[in-house]
Amino acid sequence: MELEYSADHEAFRRMLRAFLENNRARAPRMRTFASGVVDPALLGWQKLLIEHGYAARGVPREYGGAGADPDPLIATIIAEEFAQARLSRGVSGQGLDMLVPTLLEHGSEEQKRRYVPPTVRGEMLWCQGYSEPGAGSDLASLRTRGRVEGDTLVMDGQKIWTSTAQFAQMMFALVRTEADAPKHAGISYVLVPMDTPGITVRPLKTMTGEAEFNEVFFDAVRVPLENLVGKRGEGWKIANTTLRHERNMLGSASTSVKLFESARSTMRENRVDGRPALENPVLRGRLMALQAKTLAMKCHAMRLLTCQLRGEAAGVAGLVTKLNGCQLNFDLAGLAIDALGEAGILYRGGAQSSEATRWQFHYMFQLGLIIGGGTAQIQKNIIAERGLGMPREPRPAVPDPDAR
Amino acid sequence: MDFGLSEEQRLLDATLRRLLEEKLPLARVRQVSAESEDGVDEAAWRALAELGVVGCLIPEKQGGSAGTLLDAVVVATALGHGCAPLPFLGSAVLAPILFDALGSPAQQDEWLPRLAAGRARVAVALSECVERRDDAGLRLEAGRLHGSARFVVDSAGADVFLAPAGAACFLLPASAPGLELRPMPTIDRSRRLSELTFDGVAADEPLAGDAAPGEVAAAIARALDAARVVLAADIVGSCDRALELSVAYALTREQFGRKIGSFQAVKHICAEMAAALEPARSLLWYAAHAFDALPAEAALSATLCKAHLSEVGRDLLRSATEVHGGIGFTDECDLQLWFKRVGLDRQLLGGPERLYAHAAELQHLSS
C-alpha cells in the first residue's frame, strides 16, 4: 500500500500546477456547450492544453492530439489538478470522450483524418444517437432503419435522450441495416451530419424544467455509405467498446466528494432557530453516514486505478461504481434538501434562495443519472451475471410477434 | 501509487485460508462453540502463531513479525470468513498495541514473546472507555480496584487482563484475589465475552507507571482505532462468506422449475450485497493504511470504517438469510454463524450511531 506518487509524477504535478497558475487568465469560463456558440476562448485554451499535453493526451499527434503514452496516473493527476484549480479542462463531451476513442480503434484512415482533428480542437461537436423510445435498457432492439441504396444509407426512425443534438454538427448513431439478421448482428455504426435534410431536432424538457436532452427524428435521411464505421452489422460490437467508457464516467468519486463538501457547507451555513443544521444530531448522523460512503468510493477509485496500473482484472469490484456513486449523489442532494427544511423546496423564479434551487436540481438530475447510462436494475444484472456468475433471466418461451 | 494488498499479503491470505480450512472446518467451529470451556481452538491458535500471524503486531525482537495493521486486517478478514473461534482481537491486536505503547521494557519482554508464540493470552477491558453502563466501571481506591468491567472480549481463558482505571492501565493476573470472571453469553459463540468483577483487587502493576499525563488515554484511543478496524475486517470476511454461500445456494436451489438465482428478485439481492461490500472493503484497507501511515487520518477513517461496515454487515447478513429462504432460518444452515458473528462485531466497541457522533467530534462538527 502506497498512496504517494512517484517523484516523476510529482514533478509532472508541480509543472501542471505552475502552468495552471500562470495561465489562469487565459482559461475560458467553466461552461462548454451551454449556448451552442463555439467559444473562441475555449478553442484557444484547448490548443494551449494540447500543446502542453494536458488535453487529448492519448490522441496521436497526426490526428491533432498530444501523442503521449497512456498513463492512468498522469490522467488522474490532470483531473485532480484542474478540479483543484477550478479551471476548464478544455473541450469535453461525447465527441472527444466516446467518438474519438472509437474512431481511433475502428475507424478508417480517411475517417480518422477527417473527424478526429476538428473534434479534438473543439470545432466539431458530436451527439450520440443510441437510445430510442422503444430501445432503452434493451438497446439492441433499436429500430431506426438504414436501407442501403447504391452507395447511400437511407435512414428512417427516431432517437431520444440525445444531449447536445441542438448544437452538434455530427451524430454517431446506431442503425439497423440488416433487417433479417439476429438482433445484435443487424446493427451498424454510422456518422451522420446533423444538417442533412430530413433530420428534425426537438428539445426534450425533463422534470428539472430544462431541456437537457432532445429527440431526433430521421425521415429518409441520406448519408453516404462511406460514413459507416467498421463493417455493416458490426455496430453493436463497436459501440460496446465506448459504452463501457461511459459507465465508468457516471458515478465517479470526484463528483461525490464535491457534493459531500457542498452538502456539509449547506448544513453549516443554513441556520434554523439560530443554529446551523449541522448541530441537529439526526442530520449530522446522516451526513457522517454519507461521509463514510463518500470516503469508501474515493478509496474504491484508488483501488480500481491500482488494478489498471497493475494490469489486473478488478472482478466484481470493477462493476459497482455507477450503481453506488449515482445513489450516493442522490442521497447527498436529498440530505441537503432536508437540512434546508422548508427552504429546501424553493425552486426557480423567486428571490429567496438559489441554494435550494441548486439542490433540487441535483436531486432530480442525479435521479436521472441513476436511470441513464444503464439503469440501476441493468447494473445489478451486470454485477450478478458478470461479477457473480449468476444466470441470465430465461428468454420467454413464446416468440415475440414483433421480434425481428 | 499502489492501493491494494501486496503480493506477500495475498500469499498470507491464501496460506491462512488453507490452514483454517484444514484446522477449523465448520464442524470443528461448531464443536468448539458448543463444548469448549474458553471457546478457543488451542491447536489452531498455536498453528497461527507458528505462521507468525499471532505476532503480526509485535516487534521482531520480541518474537513477532512486526507487521502493519493492514497485515492484521488480512488475518482478521480470513478469520471472519472462517468464523474462527480464536482470540485474535484481544491477544493479537489490543494487548500487543497497549504493551508496545505503554509497557516497561521488562513488561514487554515478559509478555510480548509469549503472546507472539500463542502461549499466553491477554484480554483488555475497554468497553467502559467507549460506553459506560450506570452500574459498571472501575474505581481505584487506595491502590485497590472495585467495580466491574463488562463485555471483555476474548477473556475466557486469559492469563492476565489489562484494565484502564483512573489515569492508568493496570496489569492484573487472572488469579488475583478478588477478581472474578463471569461469562456473558452473547449471540455469537465463536468469541467469548465476560464481565470482570473487582472486589478490592490489588492494582500494583500499572503499565507505564511513569507515563506522562494523557499518554494512557492516547494509547487506549489508538488501540480502539485498531480494534475497530479489525472488527470491520471481521465483518468483511464474514460478508464474503455470506455472499459466497448465498450465490452458491441460489445456483443450486430450484423453485418453479428454475434455479432461484435466475430470478431477478433473487439475483438483484446478491448484486446489491456485492455492490455494498466492495467499496466497503476499499474503505477498510484505507483505514488500516491510515492507521499505519497517515496519523492525521487514522482516527476518523477507523471510526467511519467501523460504523459503515457495521451497517453493510447487518444489511448483508439479513439479505443473505433471505436468499436462503426458510433453510436460512435454521440452526443447521451455517449462514446463521456469520449472522451472529456480524451481530457481535457491529455492537462491540461502538455501533454506528455512537461512532458517527464520534466522527463528528473528531472533525469539530458537534456543538
Side-chain angles (χ1 to χ4, degrees):
Chain A
M1 190 74 103
E2 172 59 70
L3 306 189
E4 301 286 314
Y5 287 66
S6 71
D8 285 354
H9 285 109
E10 282 306 332
F12 177 86
R13 186 192 293 280
R14 279 194 301 279
M15 192 172 71
L16 171 55
R17 214 171 263 183
F19 168 86
L20 292 174
E21 211 39 62
N22 296 336
N23 293 281
R24 180 170 281 279
R26 297 169 73 174
R29 294 191 32 218
M30 282 275 270
R31 46 205 267 267
T32 28
F33 307 135
S35 66
V37 181
V38 175
D39 175 5
L42 174 64
L43 298 194
W45 183 240
Q46 176 75 356
K47 185 162 178 283
L48 186 69
L49 296 188
I50 295 172
E51 279 166 14
H52 286 80
Y54 302 141
R57 188 172 166 82
V59 177
R61 276 176 186 280
E62 51 184 317
Y63 306 119
D69 288 337
D71 180 340
L73 278 184
I74 291 287
T76 304
I77 291 171
I78 292 175
E80 285 171 357
E81 292 302 317
F82 276 82
Q84 184 75 30
R86 296 182 184 275
L87 290 176
S88 159
R89 290 195 54 186
V91 170
S92 63
Q94 288 170 323
L96 197 53
D97 295 337
M98 297 183 72
L99 174 82
V100 166
T102 306
L103 280 186
L104 290 176
E105 196 174 334
H106 301 284
S108 67
E109 191 52 40
E110 158 69 15
Q111 287 167 338
K112 289 188 219 179
R113 294 204 175 283
R114 188 158 167 197
Y115 298 114
V116 175
T119 305
V120 163
R121 288 196 298 269
E123 293 160 6
M124 185 180 275
L125 305 188
W126 292 78
C127 59
Q128 172 189 290
Y130 285 5
S131 294
E132 297 181 5
S137 291
D138 184 12
L139 182 59
S141 70
L142 60 91
R143 292 171 179 214
T144 293
R145 268 205 316 162
R147 203 172 66 247
V148 177
E149 281 184 11
D151 56 1
T152 305
L153 193 68
V154 185
M155 291 170 58
D156 285 284
Q158 181 192 348
K159 295 291 174 182
I160 193 171
W161 305 117
T162 324
S163 37
T164 69
Q166 71 273 44
F167 310 130
Q169 290 91 30
M170 294 291 294
M171 169 188 275
F172 54 100
L174 293 178
V175 294
R176 188 162 299 285
T177 46
E178 334 294 300
D180 301 325
K183 145 167 149 173
H184 293 83
I187 295 171
S188 297
Y189 192 109
V190 61
L191 309 178
V192 186
M194 290 298 283
D195 59 1
T196 315
I199 295 182
T200 310
V201 177
R202 192 182 293 164
L204 179 62
K205 193 165 157 180
T206 70
M207 68 194 291
T208 67
E210 283 196 16
E212 294 107 331
F213 301 96
N214 301 276
E215 296 175 283
V216 181
F217 298 85
F218 301 90
D219 180 12
V221 171
R222 299 178 72 86
V223 180
L225 213 47
E226 65 186 29
N227 281 23
L228 287 187
V229 178
K231 295 200 181 71
R232 268 173 71 175
E234 282 186 348
W236 184 254
K237 206 177 67 195
I238 292 170
N240 258 305
T241 50
T242 41
L243 271 179
R244 228 165 283 145
H245 210 71
E246 182 181 51
R247 285 200 188 107
N248 292 343
M249 293 188 304
L250 295 172
S252 86
S254 55
T255 307
S256 303
V257 170
K258 263 188 241 161
L259 278 176
F260 167 76
E261 285 169 0
S262 184
R264 188 176 55 193
S265 301
T266 291
M267 289 176 65
R268 235 189 222 132
E269 284 148 25
N270 181 67
R271 299 170 77 88
V272 177
D273 299 334
R275 303 171 77 82
L278 201 49
E279 289 188 16
N280 176 318
V282 176
L283 290 170
R284 192 172 57 213
R286 281 173 62 186
L287 182 72
M288 292 298 95
L290 294 180
Q291 182 177 30
K293 289 186 182 183
T294 304
L295 180 58
M297 293 311 290
K298 197 176 149 188
C299 299
H300 199 61
M302 289 193 275
R303 174 173 159 201
L304 296 184
L305 176 63
T306 298
C307 287
Q308 216 183 329
L309 293 168
R310 290 179 178 177
E312 289 170 5
V316 69
L319 303 172
V320 302
T321 297
K322 202 244 164 193
L323 182 66
N324 282 302
C326 293
Q327 180 66 48
L328 173 58
N329 296 343
F330 179 69
D331 290 344
L332 283 163
L335 171 60
I337 288 168
D338 291 350
L340 288 165
E342 287 175 326
I345 56 180
L346 292 171
Y347 208 48
R348 287 164 186 167
Q352 285 90 348
S353 173
S354 59
E355 192 178 19
T357 300
R358 185 166 57 87
W359 283 118
Q360 286 287 3
F361 180 84
H362 278 311
Y363 186 65
M364 291 185 272
F365 194 73
Q366 294 297 335
L367 176 56
L369 291 182
I370 287 174
I371 297 165
T375 65
Q377 289 65 37
I378 290 292
Q379 300 301 321
K380 289 177 194 174
N381 280 351
I382 293 171
I383 295 164
E385 289 164 16
R386 293 190 207 152
L388 302 175
M390 301 185 80
R392 295 177 68 101
E393 193 84 354
R395 300 282 165 218
V398 185
D400 178 354
D402 284 345
R404 285 159 190 276
Chain B
M1 174 71 186
D2 189 57
F3 184 98
L5 300 183
S6 67
E7 206 52 56
E8 294 75 24
Q9 283 162 337
R10 288 188 207 190
L11 193 65
L12 169 66
D13 178 61
T15 311
L16 198 51
R17 279 172 200 245
R18 266 199 311 276
L19 183 139
L20 288 171
E21 265 169 43
E22 186 197 314
K23 301 268 178 196
L24 281 172
L26 286 180
R28 176 70 188 146
V29 169
R30 282 177 180 264
Q31 189 191 13
V32 172
S33 297
E35 297 166 14
S36 155
E37 189 78 6
D38 61 3
V40 172
D41 188 305
E42 192 63 35
W45 189 238
R46 290 287 174 85
L48 249 62
E50 275 165 34
L51 203 61
V53 304
V54 172
C56 66
L57 296 178
I58 293 173
E60 279 174 353
K61 65 175 187 231
Q62 275 116 2
S65 49
T68 60
L69 192 65
L70 190 56
D71 295 327
V73 155
V74 170
V75 177
T77 306
L79 297 180
H81 184 268
C83 198
L86 298 173
F88 186 73
L89 180 60
S91 288
V93 178
L94 286 170
I97 287 175
L98 287 179
F99 273 120
D100 197 48
L102 299 174
S104 67
Q107 285 166 333
Q108 290 175 349
D109 287 342
E110 182 180 1
W111 289 104
L112 289 174
R114 292 167 66 193
L115 279 171
R119 295 185 186 281
R121 285 195 239 147
V122 180
V124 184
L126 277 188
S127 281
E128 280 69 31
C129 302
V130 178
E131 50 186 23
R132 193 180 67 76
R133 313 272 123 193
D134 279 353
D135 51 352
L138 293 185
R139 297 185 314 279
L140 182 62
E141 286 167 11
R144 292 188 176 271
L145 286 169
H146 300 269
S148 69
R150 297 197 184 149
F151 307 103
V152 183
V153 68
D154 298 330
S155 46
D159 302 283
V160 295
F161 300 103
L162 294 176
C169 182
F170 294 99
L171 182 66
L172 306 152
S175 57
L179 179 61
E180 211 184 308
L181 191 80
R182 294 181 186 161
M184 297 181 88
T186 70
I187 42 158
D188 172 38
R189 297 296 292 159
S190 65
R191 284 152 303 167
R192 296 294 166 84
L193 271 58
S194 320
E195 176 177 19
L196 304 183
T197 60
F198 297 77
D199 183 11
V201 178
D204 43 20
E205 193 181 356
L207 291 185
D210 54 353
E215 199 178 330
V216 171
I220 286 172
R222 182 127 175 103
L224 273 177
D225 288 342
R228 284 168 178 158
V229 174
V230 165
L231 283 165
D234 197 82
I235 294 175
V236 167
S238 300
C239 287
D240 280 337
R241 188 64 169 263
L243 179 54
E244 287 163 24
L245 290 171
S246 299
V247 171
Y249 186 76
L251 294 181
T252 313
R253 170 78 169 169
E254 292 189 8
Q255 288 287 275
F256 304 100
R258 286 160 57 177
K259 305 257 190 284
I260 61 167
S262 70
F263 290 105
Q264 287 188 333
V266 174
K267 82 180 182 190
H268 281 191
I269 296 179
C270 295
E272 286 161 7
M273 291 191 233
L277 183 55
E278 289 308 325
R281 188 194 317 278
S282 306
L283 176 59
L284 168 69
W285 291 350
Y286 178 77
H289 176 68
F291 183 91
D292 293 323
L294 311 169
E297 305 291 322
L300 179 62
S301 51
T303 306
L304 291 175
C305 171
K306 163 70 160 66
H308 182 57
L309 261 306
S310 297
E311 297 285 42
V312 168
R314 171 180 274 187
D315 289 349
L316 196 142
L317 265 296
R318 169 238 156 99
S319 297
T321 308
E322 280 195 79
V323 168
H324 281 75
I327 191 78
F329 189 57
T330 65
D331 177 78
E332 183 197 334
C333 179
D334 293 323
L335 183 67
Q336 52 95 1
L337 299 172
W338 287 277
F339 185 94
K340 294 165 180 173
R341 186 142 174 134
V342 165
L344 182 143
D345 291 338
R346 175 183 163 102
Q347 304 305 124
L348 198 64
L349 302 181
E353 287 71 22
R354 177 164 293 276
L355 292 173
Y356 285 136
H358 183 52
E361 282 165 27
L362 288 168
Q363 298 174 90
H364 311 291
L365 299 178
S366 313
S367 43

